[in-house]
Amino acid sequence: MAKVGSSLMAIAEVKTSSCSAKATKRVAFQGLAPLLWFSFGTVAILLQEVLSVYPLLSPPSLTPEQSNRVCNALALLQCVASHPDTKILFAQARIPFYLYIFLGTIGESRPFEYLRLATLGVMGALVKVPDTRVIIFLLSSEIMPLCLRAMETGSALSRAVATFIVQKLLMDDVGLQYICYLPERVFAVNHALENVLASLAEQPSTRLLKHVIRCYLRFLDDGRSLWVLRNFLPKRLTDGTFDHCLREDQTARMWMQQLLDNLPGRPVTKEGGGI
């Protein structure tokens, strides 16, 4: 047990700023996720690390060292969230509930941004490989508003991860039905995607643009969203703003053409949209 504890502590000491080093550690310990989850008291200790900074969130007083320590714990939880043998157990234990508070913090300094990004990384690990049970849990726990907020106000990297999560939620039939059930939800997602496009106009990223286009393409599979998209599709998608990105990526260009072919520029009435 002492040997196992020493191994876990060695991994936990990896600095948050050294992402490649953490990735190397996770690859070296292929069985790390089950070891973390099934070792007595280990997850409880990681949650204690998470809870320890709650009093520092408001008013914002988190130091870089404290943020780094919690981010290391979140990196280990991300490992558990990504493993096929522990992912559903992670969700069923409601572990994400302990982390959502970090997505709602108001601190704009780097320690807070690192904390938000690490939390988004855990959620991204949960949805990376599709599992409807996980999607149902996340939607029931109101992950969508938190991701939309990150898409609108987060750093470039936070926006990218949050958009990826929303795309993964949409790709599942349960997620698509949940969002399209109410026009207000479609409007909210569209507004967040529009903000992402505005940021891309200043800092282009073909990879993130593809996530955005994929979200809109998925909306086409549910007729309840057509009226919103035909009338409120962001102009930046159609005015040539991202032509340089589309020229560089054949897949993105094909998806964009497919989207435009199915969403004529002519506005339609609400009755015609079927909502």
Side-chain angles (χ1 to χ4, degrees):
M1 180 63 72
K3 184 177 181 180
V4 170
S6 299
S7 299
L8 295 180
M9 288 303 295
I11 296 171
E13 286 300 319
V14 178
K15 295 299 183 180
T16 301
S17 58
S18 180
C19 297
S20 60
K22 286 195 292 184
T24 301
K25 288 287 186 180
R26 287 197 289 266
V27 171
F29 290 84
Q30 292 292 342
L32 178 59
L35 177 63
L36 289 169
W37 186 258
F38 293 108
S39 295
F40 179 77
T42 301
V43 174
I45 292 173
L46 295 176
L47 288 179
Q48 188 176 26
E49 288 291 319
V50 169
L51 295 173
S52 68
V53 298
Y54 276 16
L56 307 175
L57 301 179
S58 182
S61 55
L62 191 66
T63 67
E65 292 76 16
Q66 291 165 330
S67 174
N68 184 64
R69 185 173 178 126
V70 178
C71 286
N72 286 328
L74 291 174
L76 294 177
L77 291 176
Q78 179 178 338
C79 180
V80 176
S82 65
H83 197 282
D85 294 339
T86 55
K87 173 191 300 187
I88 188 62
L89 298 174
F90 184 87
Q92 289 174 341
R94 303 296 192 264
I95 303 298
F97 282 126
Y98 294 95
L99 314 183
Y100 286 164
I101 188 172
F102 298 141
L103 297 180
T105 56
I106 60 175
E108 297 181 358
S109 61
R110 285 189 176 183
F112 284 90
E113 179 56 27
Y114 288 152
L115 206 55
R116 285 189 288 266
L117 183 57
T119 302
L120 287 170
V122 176
M123 304 308 149
L126 276 174
V127 301
K128 186 173 183 179
V129 178
D131 188 319
T132 298
R133 296 171 298 175
V134 172
I135 299 298
I136 291 174
F137 162 73
L138 290 175
L139 291 174
S140 67
S141 65
E142 295 297 317
I143 186 63
M144 281 297 299
L146 295 172
C147 284
L148 297 182
R149 176 176 177 176
M151 291 165 64
E152 295 179 5
T153 63
S155 66
L157 195 51
S158 289
R159 286 195 298 268
V161 179
T163 305
F164 169 78
I165 296 171
V166 170
Q167 178 197 335
K168 287 296 184 179
L169 294 174
L170 278 169
M171 295 308 295
D172 190 275
D173 288 342
V174 172
L176 180 65
Q177 293 170 14
Y178 172 86
I179 294 173
C180 293
Y181 181 74
L182 295 173
E184 291 82 0
R185 292 175 183 168
V186 181
F187 273 114
V189 175
N190 181 60
H191 180 71
L193 291 173
E194 188 170 12
N195 280 317
V196 172
L197 290 173
S199 69
L200 285 176
E202 299 178 359
Q203 296 179 301
S205 167
T206 302
R207 183 176 182 179
L208 181 51
L209 178 62
K210 289 171 71 174
H211 287 318
V212 173
I213 297 173
R214 199 72 186 90
C215 287
Y216 281 118
L217 273 177
R218 180 57 171 158
F219 272 127
L220 297 179
D221 294 331
D222 193 303
R224 291 172 294 185
S225 66
L226 291 182
W227 180 81
V228 175
L229 298 187
R230 285 177 178 170
N231 289 275
F232 297 97
L233 187 72
K235 292 182 179 179
R236 285 186 173 88
L237 279 179
T238 59
D239 65 2
T241 299
F242 301 108
D243 282 354
H244 60 291
C245 292
L246 297 175
R247 282 194 297 267
E248 297 173 356
D249 192 296
Q250 182 178 358
T251 301
R253 186 166 64 251
M254 178 186 68
W255 287 350
M256 189 65 216
Q257 190 59 53
Q258 183 181 349
L259 175 63
L260 296 179
D261 288 344
N262 287 276
L263 281 177
R266 176 178 59 86
V268 297
T269 64
K270 186 171 182 178
E271 290 73 15
I275 292 182

